[in-house]
Amino acid sequence: MLIVSIVVTSSIFVYFNNNREVEELSYTLFLKHLKSGIVKDVYLTDSPKLKVVLENGNEFFTDNPRAQGFKEELLLYNVNVIERSQTVDDVVMPVIIFASLIFMLVYFRKNMFKQAEKEMANMSNIENSNLEIKIGFNDVAGNDEAKESLKELVEFIRNPDIFKKFGARLPRGVLLYGPPGTGKTLLAKAVAGEADVPFFAVNGSDFVQVYAGLGASRIRDLFKKAKEAEKSVIFIDEIDSIGKKRKGGNIVGSEEGDRTLNALLAEMSGFKENEGIIVVAATNRIDVLDEALLRPGRFDRQIEVELPDVNARHKILNLHARNKPISNDVDLRKVAEETVYFSGAKLENLMNEAAMYAIKSNAQEITKEHIDKAYYKVLVGDEKQDRSYINKKDKEITAYHEAGHALVAKLVDSTNRVTKVSIIPSTKGVGGFSLNIPTDKIYKTKRDLYDNIMIALGGRAAEELVFGKENITSGASSDLEKATEIALSLIGSLGMDETFGLLNINVLMSRDIKDDNNLIERTKEILDELYKETIELLKTSRDKLEKISQELLIKETIDENDINRIIDFS
Ligand code: ADP
Ligand code: ZN
């Protein structure tokens, strides 16, 4: 391009220079030049002036004699007679220059468009990581439940025919949800890696704020590419940016977003059954997603990807230490213990920063000191409300609170199952959670409902018992909501309370017959009574409460076996 423009500009320069130098000579002087044999060309036309070129290259105009035999005379003097006007050149030259300029402009612009298109494509960034080193489940530490669930999909992609033969329908879409940096992208890549198929990745946020229709066409483009590859994994990160709950009425113009979402839904229902294409989407917030996305045939398998507990953190640290020289003074188990609420990404970052410090200080290995330094660097980079700052006391309170729920669940009815207790926050609970599975039965007895209230109150009861009446916390708010709900329905709609008898409060209310005070009074009585009962229950099993809490503080997450072991053998 540079050469072309230099040539063009210099020829423009030469052309105009030449024209400027053309002077007019008298006819007699011209005849003199002619006779002395220095005239090279004459442009012979009907115009009043003739253009003459001398042997030395000089050009000039002279009067056209328009005489008979003029041409012959010129020829006799060995002059090259050109019977067309130089003005043709005068016209042609600028036309050529002009045309080439136009051409260049068009060319540049086209390239600019191409560049823009390229950028757009980059923006939508359909990343095909075929060329990357294959990632497998071994590259993901922890997240065992998620991995287990995804392994089935790998089987499906590898061997869709088997599933077809048995008439089994597998999900087309899998939604991975959980806090940022917990390995959702990594898991999706691992599915593609394990199944040995191409991986197409896009980010949902690239689809917003694009020109009308472009988001939808990008979606179609993405699926087209995936289908061309036959079997593949499509990964849509931050799906919430295209799949947010649609506001009814659709007045506020996110129509473009809707169009994109509709295109996605259409593409997903458009695959042939058992084609071997799996769409994996990720979000930090499942609660904001449009329900349409979660329906059967869409993202109907939802897998929670949690923050790692201490064991998982240890595994993740080990994984990222694999390719690094680590000094003997480093105890990764200890590092795992000190990194509560760290995500996998943060742990990876920690190890990487530690390596950087080691390199900077010309050390042979990564030492404890480097890790400590890195730890503070990783923490400082955090937002203020980062949970990493949570103090030990909070952790302790959470442990007793969750242990309370779990223990009460087992004590009120030994057939109740407690499958998992954790003090790591997740969508199941802001502080931690205790997963209780009550025995499966169609009807609930009055006693069952009482038990459920006691399980709900178990958290608060444990707090009071251990830390004193003054130190109870706000952590029980949703528990109290649940307990009140059960107590109210027990009195008001299930006819299980002696005082209220068989009345249905809703019917009374609908007739405007109100008796709120008594109802509140009675609900409170029941809750108070059951709360006392719960405290007593925990008091008699205080040692078990202690053991569960301590184990929670060490392991952060304990499972059914741990719970049963503690309860049976202490
Ligand atoms: P997400 O998609 O959930 O935001 P990523 O998968 O992008 O998280 O994780 C970012 C990086 O953090 C990964 O590339 C990996 O290095 C590290 N990481 C996160 N979770 C894990 C894990 N469970 N095991 C190993 N590395 C992890
Ligand atoms: Zn609770």
Side-chain angles (χ1 to χ4, degrees):
M1 273 333 281
L2 192 69
I3 292 168
V4 171
S5 32
I6 287 171
V7 168
V8 169
T9 27
S10 50
S11 55
I12 292 172
F13 185 77
V14 167
Y15 170 78
F16 281 109
N17 258 7
N18 277 354
N19 265 12
R20 220 182 303 133
E21 268 174 21
V22 175
E23 343 162 23
E24 229 181 295
L25 284 190
S26 68
Y27 188 62
T28 44
L29 198 55
F30 163 68
L31 286 178
K32 218 176 125 197
H33 285 328
L34 185 66
K35 281 170 188 153
S36 52
I38 59 164
V39 174
K40 187 170 159 254
D41 308 321
V42 170
Y43 290 84
L44 186 61
T45 59
D46 283 339
S47 56
K49 299 279 177 192
L50 294 178
K51 185 161 180 177
V52 180
V53 182
L54 300 185
E55 290 288 352
N56 65 6
N58 279 353
E59 297 177 351
F60 58 85
F61 286 108
T62 191
D63 283 314
N64 189 351
R66 285 183 181 138
Q68 286 272 325
F70 180 59
K71 183 178 174 182
E72 194 187 354
E73 197 182 351
L74 290 173
L75 290 172
L76 287 174
Y77 280 104
N78 241 344
V79 170
N80 184 22
V81 179
I82 303 155
E83 281 184 272
R84 84 182 143 80
S85 122
Q86 235 258 304
T87 50
V88 172
D89 284 7
D90 289 353
V91 173
V92 168
M93 204 42 193
V95 165
I96 290 174
I97 292 171
F98 192 71
S100 49
L101 271 176
I102 297 279
F103 173 78
M104 267 168 54
L105 258 173
V106 169
Y107 187 80
F108 268 125
R109 283 197 60 122
K110 208 172 143 193
N111 261 19
M112 261 160 57
F113 273 126
K114 262 192 197 148
Q115 191 66 24
E117 253 167 40
K118 231 186 194 169
E119 262 160 37
M120 299 256 244
N122 274 348
M123 231 168 61
S124 78
N125 199 18
I126 301 179
E127 171 197 332
N128 183 343
S129 63
N130 266 339
L131 303 173
E132 276 178 35
I133 312 153
K134 285 251 145 50
I135 285 175
F137 286 133
N138 282 338
D139 299 297
V140 191
N143 286 331
D144 293 330
E145 284 153 43
K147 274 196 270 187
E148 211 45 58
S149 184
L150 290 171
K151 272 179 189 156
E152 206 179 284
L153 294 181
V154 172
E155 270 319 300
F156 162 68
I157 300 171
R158 275 197 191 140
N159 220 340
D161 292 342
I162 288 280
F163 289 84
K164 205 173 185 172
K165 187 176 157 201
F166 284 87
R169 187 185 58 80
L170 258 113
R172 295 175 188 182
V174 182
L175 182 73
L176 302 174
Y177 67 98
T182 43
K184 297 183 288 297
T185 310
L186 203 61
L187 280 165
K189 280 186 182 163
V191 172
E194 295 276 341
D196 201 16
V197 298
F199 179 72
F200 296 98
V202 291
N203 194 302
S205 64
D206 290 338
F207 291 92
V208 286
Q209 285 179 343
V210 291
Y211 303 108
L214 211 53
S217 82
R218 272 185 198 162
I219 290 276
R220 285 190 287 268
D221 197 39
L222 171 68
F223 278 80
K224 209 178 119 210
K225 277 194 182 134
K227 279 178 189 160
E228 274 162 14
E230 288 177 21
K231 296 177 173 195
S232 59
V233 171
I234 297 176
F235 179 62
I236 307 174
D237 204 359
E238 295 183 42
I239 182 113
D240 40 296
S241 28
I242 30 175
K244 274 219 185 76
K245 276 197 177 74
R246 286 179 273 200
K247 283 168 212 122
N250 213 354
I251 313 152
V252 200
S254 82
E255 252 177 76
E256 181 50 28
D258 285 358
R259 228 176 288 163
T260 309
L261 178 57
N262 285 336
L264 175 64
L265 296 177
E267 286 294 338
M268 286 187 72
S269 21
F271 310 154
K272 275 178 245 122
E273 278 288 323
N274 302 343
E275 217 166 355
I277 298 177
I278 286 285
V279 187
V280 181
T283 181
N284 303 332
R285 303 204 44 199
I286 193 174
D287 54 312
V288 301
L289 287 186
D290 196 300
E291 284 85 13
L293 273 172
L294 307 177
R295 271 184 221 134
R298 288 146 183 192
F299 295 99
D300 50 1
R301 182 172 296 193
Q302 291 129 30
I303 302 174
E304 182 169 14
V305 186
E306 300 166 312
L307 281 174
D309 64 15
V310 64
N311 278 326
R313 290 199 301 272
H314 191 189
K315 284 183 201 157
I316 295 172
L317 285 167
N318 272 327
L319 193 81
H320 291 288
R322 249 186 344 196
N323 57 354
K324 298 180 176 71
I326 308 271
S327 151
N328 282 334
D329 74 343
V330 174
D331 181 356
L332 287 180
R333 178 76 201 178
K334 201 121 190 284
V335 178
E337 279 162 15
E338 287 161 357
T339 44
V340 197
Y341 310 121
F342 271 47
S343 66
K346 228 184 214 177
L347 293 169
E348 192 270 340
N349 192 11
L350 176 75
M351 291 310 283
N352 192 51
E353 289 295 338
M356 301 292 244
Y357 278 122
I359 293 165
K360 242 190 258 169
S361 58
N362 276 326
Q364 294 297 310
E365 290 173 319
I366 298 171
T367 65
K368 191 173 174 303
E369 201 194 323
H370 299 134
I371 292 185
D372 285 346
K373 264 188 168 170
Y375 182 82
Y376 289 109
K377 171 137 194 220
V378 172
L379 278 189
V380 167
D382 280 341
E383 297 154 44
K384 263 198 203 121
Q385 74 267 33
D386 192 284
R387 293 212 183 83
S388 310
Y389 289 112
I390 211 166
N391 60 40
K392 250 182 146 170
K393 193 78 200 165
D394 280 348
K395 226 177 127 181
E396 224 184 327
I397 292 167
T398 311
Y400 279 103
H401 179 108
E402 299 306 337
H405 285 306
L407 183 56
V408 173
K410 291 302 275 187
L411 291 178
V412 290
D413 182 350
S414 61
T415 63
N416 279 339
R417 294 177 57 198
V418 178
T419 52
K420 196 173 173 187
V421 188
S422 175
I423 58 170
I424 301 280
S426 74
T427 50
K428 298 188 207 80
V430 262
F433 60 89
S434 164
L435 273 190
N436 314 318
I437 305 178
T439 8
D440 207 12
K441 35 187 170 179
I442 301 174
Y443 301 117
K444 286 198 162 45
T445 64
K446 185 175 169 184
R447 186 64 238 176
D448 291 336
L449 294 174
Y450 277 179
D451 289 350
N452 286 346
I453 294 175
M454 286 174 71
I455 295 170
L457 296 177
R460 165 60 66 82
E463 286 181 30
E464 182 181 326
L465 193 63
V466 177
F467 303 105
K469 266 194 162 61
E470 300 282 294
N471 296 315
I472 51 177
T473 72
S474 54
S477 75
S478 66
D479 297 336
L480 300 183
E481 199 179 311
K482 196 165 156 196
T484 308
E485 192 87 45
I486 304 173
L488 255 182
S489 63
L490 190 149
I491 302 165
S493 54
L494 301 174
M496 286 180 175
D497 184 61
E498 289 88 4
T499 336
F500 273 77
L502 299 172
L503 277 182
N504 183 307
I505 297 296
N506 289 334
V507 174
L508 292 182
M509 296 261 225
S510 68
R511 303 274 154 88
D512 262 348
I513 307 168
K514 288 201 183 107
D515 184 29
D516 302 0
N517 279 343
N518 268 340
L519 186 64
I520 293 174
E521 200 51 45
R522 182 60 194 140
T523 313
K524 189 175 162 303
E525 256 172 45
I526 291 182
L527 290 180
D528 284 350
E529 225 170 275
L530 289 171
Y531 185 66
K532 263 189 220 129
E533 215 178 299
T534 310
I535 295 251
E536 287 311 310
L537 198 62
L538 286 177
K539 263 188 191 158
T540 57
S541 295
R542 181 68 195 256
D543 53 330
K544 291 178 186 175
L545 182 69
E546 228 31 81
K547 285 220 170 91
I548 297 172
S549 313
Q550 290 313 317
E551 194 145 333
L552 265 176
L553 280 168
I554 294 165
K555 291 189 181 169
E556 294 166 10
T557 305
I558 58 177
D559 61 17
E560 191 165 12
N561 291 333
D562 295 321
I563 292 277
N564 291 342
R565 175 175 40 82
I566 296 167
I567 287 174
D568 292 346
F569 296 101
S570 51

